[in-house]
Amino acid sequence: MSPSQSDLQDLAHKLRIHSINATQASNSGHPTSCASIAEVMSVLFFNTMKLDLKQPIHPSSDRFILSKGHAAPILYAAWAEAGLFPVSELLNLRKFGNDLEGHPTPRLNFIDVGTGSLGQGLSVGCGMAYVGKYYDQASYRVYVLVGDGESAEGSIWEALNFASHYKLDNLCVIFDINRLGQSEPTCLQHDMETYRKRVDAFGFNAIVVDGHDVGELIKAFDEASATKGKPTALLLKTFKGKHFPNIEDLENWHGKPLGTAAKGVLEHLNSLIRNKNVSLKPKPVTDDAPKVSISNIRLSAPPDYEPSAKIATRAAYGNAIAKIGKNNARVIALDGDTKNSTFSEKIKSASVAQYIECFIAEQNLVGVGMGVTCRDRTVAYVSTFATFFTRAFDQIRMGAISQSNLNFVGSHCGASIGEDGPSQMGLEDIALFRAIPGSTVIYPSDATSTERAVELVANTKGICYIRTSRPNTPILYDANTKFELGRSLVLRQSNTDKAVIVTGGVTLHEALKAHQQLAQQGINVRVVDIFSVKPLDVSGLKKNVTECGGNVVVVEDHYAAGGIGEAVSGALAQNISKFVHIAVTDVPRSGPPEVLLAHYKLDAQGITDKIKAALA
Ligand SMILES: Cc1ncc(C[n+]2csc(CCOP(=O)(O)OP(=O)(O)O)c2C)c(N)n1
Ligand SMILES: *[C@@H]1O[C@H](CO)[C@@H](O)[C@H](O)[C@H]1NC(C)=O
Ligand SMILES: *[C@@H]1O[C@H](CO)[C@@H](O)[C@H](O)[C@H]1NC(C)=O
Ligand SMILES: *[C@@H]1O[C@H](CO)[C@@H](O)[C@H](O)[C@H]1NC(C)=O
Ligand SMILES: *[C@@H]1O[C@H](CO)[C@@H](O)[C@H](O)[C@H]1NC(C)=O
């Protein structure tokens, strides 16, 4: 039975009251940002959405993302009113050690992804809706609540474009158009018609709604569910601080608890409630999402390369993604229109459904990637040129807060891409991914190790990154070689090594040539393929460094800051006596790869010269 509109309205006021009480207790937070969405939260949670209180992240339940994460108190209040935890717990908002943090994170069992960095929730919702419509083919729906200030973010419009292109009619975007942002009114304020025209032009069923009218909201959500072939956007005309006397619709109240004004506001809100005992339950879930298993993902066949072959690691990624997708339809790849450069197109050729084209919108690409992996529905690989992930660093950072398990593959790393020039060169990518808490960073140097890297990250939690290269390089390993996270591989060694070269990718092949040149001159050096940049093989490297007299040479086709050199020298500081760092030292020019490598002393001759100078 559906609740009465009167009860839903009363419940909205209770949510306002909880939001005030919680932010008073924490003496911080955003009560006015909660007040504008009280009616829509009440209608969503107690009339529209199907939710499971025993398993809030139920595979079949409706999904809700509060993209304007600073309104967290009212989201927590809705779940508390639904009965998930005691209302009294809301007073622990923002206390150190309590999971009711200032912005939602998946530390809470009812949150899929962290929000709070504005503009990201809709991309994640798109990923969830894509899975719901095309993979799960289940009846659950996805609701994303977006602030009007937040909708100035380009990633919102990238996501709107994606949703309409893929006809995500199981997605409903709710714009809370409360006229105000943080420091001043939004560009469009309450110009509802301009919002409607813009969202309509993006291919949505766009409905303008009085966001404080429970009856209109119920009708609009019903229309959204009944609309096929396109997603729906509800454009709610609302007021910030609604029903807070002398605060409603006024500036200078963003992100502030009500303080001494709270008492009067609470009295007013209580006077508006007709049924003080109102208590409602969400609708139960229709359990129609299939069971999914994404554990123990393996390559369908081991790497198989002619020992004399030369193949780029990016091409090996293509071979691997096709093979790893073969045994499990839930292994998928996403790319931003670079699939014939990154070679992610190989999975598309093998199985078109296992590839999602996200077009040239990298922030949305990463957000969709986070969405498709939510609730363990898929194992996903997001690829583009390594350098373009910098554009989505905020999304990747939020991926760590969101406890996302998502794999990234960046091609075209380093100056060794050559002629295309610096705008296309990934020279900060190792630094970027190393900085992410709990991340894994793999830098394979041949086709065999690339395939194994793809297999390793499929079964590794957290944010994983594989760095691939453009030039063709020789095969170094046979199919039986074991690769592990946190384990480097020694390719050349003797009892008289004077130094150890630690490197990966294209420059590893240069280091092998340098080893030979030096050996001819009577100087033995050890050559280590780093493979696992993070976790670093600290114990293995320490022993090798000590055996080589503490002399370490790190060679990397990456800027010096934040790369392999800083990883190795940081971890081994006490065991290194001499440290030579060969890296890209300034913004490169266009030119043939070998010219660029030589310019930065990243080629065999440069490495040889640097080592001889250091040992002299
Ligand atoms: C990417 C990003 N930029 C800036 C902020 C700081 N910030 C938090 S809330 C806010 C205003 C949001 O306005 P709106 O989306 O309209 O939400 P409202 O609070 O008005 O409901 C700003 C600027 C942020 N959290 N994230
Ligand atoms: C509200 O609940 C109280 C205590 O359970 C009860 O005495 C009262 O009759 C209820 N009032 C309404 C309007 O249901
Ligand atoms: C990618 O595919 C397009 C269309 O087939 C082609 O024109 C282009 O040259 C390809 N690019 C690369 C790098 O292979
Ligand atoms: C060098 O590192 C490798 C990889 O960790 C390790 O297997 C080997 O034992 C190390 N060498 C020495 C001399 O400890
Ligand atoms: C590395 O340095 C530390 C600190 O001096 C020392 O305890 C350790 O034995 C060294 N490790 C090796 C393998 O030499």
Side-chain angles (χ1 to χ4, degrees):
M1 209 189 70
S2 289
S4 71
Q5 290 187 21
S6 164
D7 277 358
L8 287 167
Q9 181 61 69
D10 285 345
L11 210 124
H13 289 316
K14 279 182 89 173
L15 297 179
R16 286 192 171 93
I17 290 169
H18 295 324
S19 304
I20 294 171
N21 287 335
T23 49
Q24 286 294 102
S26 61
N27 195 27
S28 66
H30 302 74
T32 59
S33 302
C34 296
S36 64
I37 57 173
E39 279 75 24
V40 74
M41 291 297 281
S42 176
V43 169
L44 271 171
F45 274 73
F46 302 103
N47 182 76
T48 301
M49 288 200 293
K50 296 175 175 173
L51 299 173
D52 191 296
L53 289 175
K54 289 207 187 68
Q55 192 187 347
I57 304 277
H58 191 289
S60 294
S61 67
D62 287 337
R63 276 73 165 151
F64 176 76
I65 299 177
L66 182 66
S67 189
K68 50 171 256 185
H70 54 285
I74 198 161
L75 173 60
Y76 303 160
W79 279 104
E81 275 292 332
L84 186 61
F85 55 88
V87 163
S88 57
E89 183 64 19
L90 295 170
L91 298 180
N92 291 323
L93 178 73
R94 293 175 169 231
K95 287 198 178 138
F96 183 71
N98 193 284
D99 291 341
L100 297 176
E101 298 197 52
H103 296 78
T105 80
R107 287 182 190 279
L108 294 161
N109 65 358
F110 53 93
I111 299 294
D112 286 289
V113 286
T115 51
S117 181
L118 295 171
Q120 302 191 17
L122 188 53
S123 300
V124 178
C126 283
M128 291 173 155
Y130 192 99
V131 168
K133 185 176 170 75
Y134 295 108
Y135 298 155
D136 288 343
Q137 299 180 9
S139 62
Y140 65 79
R141 295 180 56 75
V142 180
Y143 297 91
V144 183
L145 205 164
V146 176
D148 54 347
E150 176 188 14
S151 68
E153 291 281 5
S155 50
I156 295 285
W157 300 88
E158 293 181 4
L160 289 170
N161 184 51
F162 179 94
S164 87
H165 179 74
Y166 287 110
K167 304 184 167 43
L168 300 179
D169 47 17
N170 54 347
L171 175 72
C172 179
V173 189
I174 303 143
F175 287 93
D176 171 37
I177 301 169
N178 64 18
R179 196 183 73 82
L180 297 173
Q182 172 173 314
S183 65
E184 64 170 280
T186 58
C187 311
L188 291 178
Q189 300 207 33
H190 270 149
D191 181 354
M192 304 306 290
E193 180 55 12
T194 299
Y195 276 107
R196 196 198 59 74
K197 284 196 292 207
R198 286 184 186 178
V199 173
D200 175 82
F202 268 73
F204 272 64
N205 172 34
I207 315 172
V208 175
V209 182
D210 175 348
H212 299 303
D213 184 322
V214 165
E216 270 200 41
L217 286 164
I218 294 172
K219 244 179 55 199
F221 282 121
D222 288 345
E223 179 181 332
S225 306
T227 301
K228 299 297 165 206
K230 51 160 77 172
T232 293
L234 305 192
L235 303 164
L236 309 188
K237 182 173 182 185
T238 60
F239 292 90
K240 202 154 168 167
K242 179 73 182 174
H243 292 302
F244 295 3
N246 305 318
I247 292 174
E248 176 177 328
D249 200 32
L250 295 179
E251 290 186 51
N252 295 319
W253 276 103
H254 178 87
K256 288 177 189 162
L258 301 191
T260 53
K263 192 167 169 283
V265 173
L266 288 169
E267 276 169 16
H268 175 67
L269 287 169
N270 272 307
S271 77
L272 297 176
I273 298 180
R274 283 154 287 191
N275 174 7
K276 306 275 184 240
N277 291 0
V278 64
S279 167
L280 300 172
K281 285 280 168 252
K283 290 189 171 142
V285 159
T286 310
D287 193 0
D288 59 2
K291 285 228 161 9
V292 165
S293 168
I294 55 162
S295 55
N296 198 25
I297 306 284
R298 298 286 158 222
L299 293 170
S300 58
D304 182 18
Y305 295 98
E306 285 295 322
S308 60
K310 281 182 112 187
I311 178 161
T313 53
R314 63 178 175 136
Y317 167 65
N319 298 337
I321 191 68
K323 282 202 267 177
I324 204 158
K326 200 168 170 186
N327 293 336
N328 193 322
R330 293 288 173 146
V331 176
I332 62 169
L334 305 84
D335 200 302
D337 195 29
T338 57
K339 58 185 171 297
N340 62 348
S341 292
T342 63
F343 285 92
S344 62
E345 66 178 3
K346 287 285 189 84
I347 195 170
K348 187 179 181 194
S349 318
S351 165
V352 69
Q354 283 169 268
Y355 177 79
I356 306 175
E357 179 57 63
C358 294
F359 304 99
I360 308 164
E362 290 79 12
Q363 296 182 54
N364 185 59
L365 165 69
V366 173
V368 170
M370 281 164 63
V372 295
T373 57
C374 281
R375 305 193 187 191
D376 290 336
R377 305 311 287 170
T378 67
V379 169
Y381 294 79
V382 172
S383 54
T384 182
F385 285 22
T387 199
F388 302 137
F389 285 128
T390 56
R391 191 179 192 115
F393 183 59
D394 196 7
Q395 277 78 1
I396 297 168
R397 176 186 76 88
M398 290 301 291
I401 294 172
S402 299
Q403 302 174 17
S404 294
N405 301 315
L406 185 55
N407 305 313
F408 294 83
V409 181
S411 71
H412 293 65
C413 73
S416 56
I417 70 160
E419 290 82 353
D420 271 348
S423 67
Q424 315 299 300
M425 296 171 179
L427 290 163
E428 310 88 352
D429 54 315
I430 295 178
L432 184 164
F433 282 101
R434 272 185 71 219
I436 299 294
S439 66
T440 298
V441 179
I442 313 265
Y443 187 11
S445 299
D446 83 335
T448 304
S449 54
T450 303
E451 290 204 23
R452 291 304 185 195
V454 169
E455 191 172 50
L456 278 170
V457 299
N459 305 290
T460 302
K461 299 277 182 220
I463 301 293
C464 297
Y465 176 58
I466 300 174
R467 181 180 216 230
T468 67
S469 306
R470 185 170 184 276
N472 291 324
T473 43
I475 302 297
L476 298 167
Y477 301 106
D478 64 35
N480 300 319
T481 309
K482 275 236 165 311
F483 294 90
E484 295 167 53
L485 299 184
R487 191 64 182 263
S488 294
L489 298 98
V490 178
L491 287 176
R492 297 285 185 275
Q493 66 179 323
S494 76
N495 293 331
T496 58
D497 291 334
K498 296 278 179 295
V500 53
I501 306 175
V502 181
T503 185
V506 167
T507 51
L508 175 61
H509 298 274
E510 296 302 315
L512 291 170
K513 290 183 225 158
H515 166 272
Q516 203 172 357
Q517 288 182 9
L518 287 161
Q520 281 159 4
Q521 299 169 41
I523 304 167
N524 284 333
V525 292
R526 191 161 299 188
V527 181
V528 172
D529 170 5
I530 187 151
F531 183 68
S532 179
V533 177
K534 187 183 172 189
L536 193 66
D537 182 1
V538 177
S539 65
L541 288 173
K542 270 186 187 169
K543 290 189 216 144
N544 284 284
V545 166
T546 302
E547 274 207 355
C548 301
N551 297 325
V552 180
V553 183
V554 170
V555 187
E556 57 182 324
D557 193 359
H558 184 277
Y559 286 139
I564 300 170
E566 292 190 354
V568 169
S569 60
L572 276 62
Q574 290 175 303
N575 304 80
I576 295 177
S577 43
K578 191 168 273 177
F579 185 69
V580 177
H581 192 185
I582 313 178
V584 178
T585 47
D586 55 14
V587 174
R589 308 282 309 250
S590 283
E594 50 286 3
V595 173
L596 282 157
L597 288 180
H599 176 77
Y600 291 108
K601 310 254 179 265
L602 293 164
D603 66 343
Q605 191 59 52
I607 298 167
T608 300
D609 293 347
K610 286 269 196 178
I611 290 178
K612 280 171 69 181
L615 294 178

